[in-house]
Amino acid sequence: MAKVVGMALGKDYATQECSIARALEVVGERWTLLVIRDALYGVRRYNDFLVHLGIPRAVLAARLQALTAEGILEKRRYQESPPREEYVPTDRALALWPTLRSLGRWGREQFDEPQLRYFRHADCGTELGLYGECPRCALVVPVPDVLVDPGPGLDPNPADPISRALLKPRRLLQPFESEPAAGQ
Amino acid sequence: MAKVVGMALGKDYATQECSIARALEVVGERWTLLVIRDALYGVRRYNDFLVHLGIPRAVLAARLQALTAEGILEKRRYQESPPREEYVPTDRALALWPTLRSLGRWGREQFDEPQLRYFRHADCGTELGLYGECPRCALVVPVPDVLVDPGPGLDPNPADPISRALLKPRRLLQPFESEPAAGQ
DNA sequence: ACTCAAGGTTCAATGAACGAACCCACAGTG
DNA sequence: CACTGTGGGTTCGTTCATTGAACCTTGAGT
């Protein structure tokens, strides 16, 4: 009967012969897809992920490391002194956009929530279809050409700076200005 | 400063104003998407999920109950005596097909794995595109018209009856014959 | 009366997530 | 030089979730 060698628990969906299961081993853990979503929104720095997600620091560090190891984010030093790091989404992350788009639409449509954000084709303003295509232009919109347009359902005065920056229309991947701790 | 009332841990991505986060509250837990995948494959019975997924019984019971409560599966008594239950995917489950399809493709393409299964338009045999459309017929293929066609990478002699049935081409949603415990 | 099958529940052990506290390197300020 | 602030982490005790083995229940078959 040759028992499978006990590989304990972990991220593995042991016996599955299925690329969905393989994908979930990589991005299926708690928080992971939200980290990737934020990376596509333009979040790049540890502290910005932290405040925008409300994720425990240790978990964030673990996820960033795992995503870097999987080639989904790239860790870069953006200044030497003091040493500062950023995490930039790779093509692997961009390739997840259709999945994230369709998942978000599923959530809103099936549980009829208020429209929080419109995703539009920046060239023509048309709202994207189910998987991120532009129905008017009949093409899959490249991620940098997706416009994130705030909808009526959003809190007009959020606590963290990332959410505040997301109250203005902006493109995916466009990095955030790290506000120089000014005013108030 | 009005702390948010501590809702402990749980399935909530507390502060997120985002339909992706809402969706993940529903289908983001470990095993959940694989249960839905199996339901789309045609798995309907507790024991079939159990052996095909290799999931702990308690977790399976919890997931089936949660998915039923969310209207993603429907629990039905398919015979009265002895009382037997089945879990049938609803439209909400079918609406997740593009998400699952794109997730599976992402996994295979980004980590260049062997092709395990082809998903084809049953009417014309063309392999589906990124999100479940037929490139030839230029339409989003309805879930019941998707043909699941085993590829070269599959184990030719799997242990559980569901995997064995999946070695033959079959449509999504088509229920499995529960083999009457014959032979051997 | 015994056995078998489906569809579960219970429970102790293990692992992961949480959150508060701490650490370090450096820059700027007085 | 001491002091404070910021970015990017690590450590650690507590709580929660997952695991796997054992057990339970209803009814059929023999």
Side-chain angles (χ1 to χ4, degrees), chain A residues 8-130:
Chain A
L9 191 138
K11 50 272 304 166
D12 60 84
Y13 290 106
T15 63
Q16 296 302 309
E17 277 192 311
C18 169
S19 49
I20 296 171
R22 294 273 156 275
L24 287 172
E25 287 177 14
V26 178
V27 297
E29 286 173 301
R30 187 160 161 77
W31 294 111
T32 300
L33 280 174
L34 294 182
V35 170
I36 296 171
R37 176 207 63 183
D38 269 20
L40 295 185
Y41 277 179
V43 177
R44 297 183 162 199
R45 292 162 59 158
Y46 183 94
N47 266 291
D48 289 341
F49 284 110
L50 198 68
V51 298
H52 187 232
L53 289 171
I55 183 179
R57 306 176 82 88
V59 177
L60 176 57
R63 295 295 181 273
L64 290 174
Q65 212 192 332
L67 287 171
T68 302
E70 296 287 359
I72 294 166
L73 300 180
E74 191 191 337
K75 184 174 186 172
R76 288 212 291 240
R77 181 155 292 189
Y78 68 88
Q79 82 180 26
E80 280 300 333
S81 173
R84 291 289 181 262
E85 314 288 343
E86 67 180 353
Y87 294 88
V88 182
T90 67
D91 287 346
R92 262 184 199 173
L94 303 205
L96 269 175
W97 167 242
T99 304
L100 287 171
R101 166 66 180 163
S102 65
L103 185 60
R105 269 198 65 141
W106 179 83
R108 182 172 59 72
E109 287 177 359
Q110 298 298 318
F111 302 97
D112 46 33
E113 294 157 4
Q115 182 111 8
L116 293 172
R117 275 181 259 275
Y118 302 93
F119 294 93
R120 304 183 186 284
H121 186 194
D123 293 0
C124 71
T126 310
E127 197 186 356
L128 301 189
L130 181 55

Side-chain angles (χ1 to χ4, degrees), chain B:
Chain B
M1 276 302 174
K3 281 203 62 157
V4 184
V5 284
M7 28 173 44
L9 193 140
K11 51 272 304 165
D12 61 83
Y13 290 106
T15 64
Q16 296 301 309
E17 278 193 310
C18 169
S19 49
I20 297 172
R22 295 270 156 277
L24 287 172
E25 287 178 14
V26 179
V27 298
E29 287 173 301
R30 187 160 158 77
W31 293 110
T32 300
L33 279 175
L34 293 183
V35 170
I36 296 171
R37 176 207 63 182
D38 269 20
L40 294 185
Y41 276 180
V43 176
R44 296 183 161 198
R45 292 162 62 158
Y46 183 95
N47 266 292
D48 289 341
F49 285 109
L50 199 68
V51 298
H52 187 231
L53 290 171
I55 183 179
R57 308 177 80 89
V59 176
L60 177 58
R63 295 294 182 274
L64 290 174
Q65 211 192 330
L67 287 171
T68 302
E70 296 286 0
I72 295 167
L73 300 180
E74 191 191 337
K75 184 174 185 172
R76 287 213 292 241
R77 179 155 293 187
Y78 68 86
Q79 82 179 25
E80 281 300 333
S81 176
R84 291 289 180 262
E85 315 289 340
E86 66 180 352
Y87 295 87
V88 182
T90 67
D91 287 348
R92 263 183 197 172
L94 302 206
L96 270 175
W97 167 242
T99 305
L100 288 171
R101 165 67 180 162
S102 64
L103 185 60
R105 268 198 65 141
W106 179 83
R108 182 171 59 75
E109 287 177 0
Q110 298 298 319
F111 302 98
D112 47 33
E113 293 158 4
Q115 182 113 7
L116 293 172
R117 273 180 261 276
Y118 301 93
F119 294 93
R120 306 183 185 283
H121 186 192
D123 292 2
C124 71
T126 310
E127 197 185 356
L128 301 188
L130 183 54
Y131 54 96
E133 87 285 12
C134 176
R136 166 174 306 194
C137 306
L139 55 82
V140 177
V141 177
V143 179
D145 293 344
V146 174
L147 189 73
V148 184
D149 192 12
L154 283 178
D155 174 359
N157 203 348
D160 69 288
I162 299 298
S163 296
R164 241 174 293 136
L166 280 169
L167 291 178
K168 292 187 176 49
R170 55 200 321 284
R171 289 184 183 224
L172 285 183
L173 300 182
Q174 182 188 324
F176 292 87
E177 309 294 324
S178 291
E179 39 187 338
Q184 223 274 333

Side-chain angles (χ1 to χ4, degrees), chain A residues 127-159:
Chain A
E127 197 186 356
L128 301 189
L130 181 55
Y131 53 94
E133 86 286 12
C134 176
R136 166 174 305 194
C137 306
L139 56 82
V140 177
V141 177
V143 179
D145 292 344
V146 174
L147 189 74
V148 185
D149 192 13
L154 282 179
D155 174 359
N157 202 347

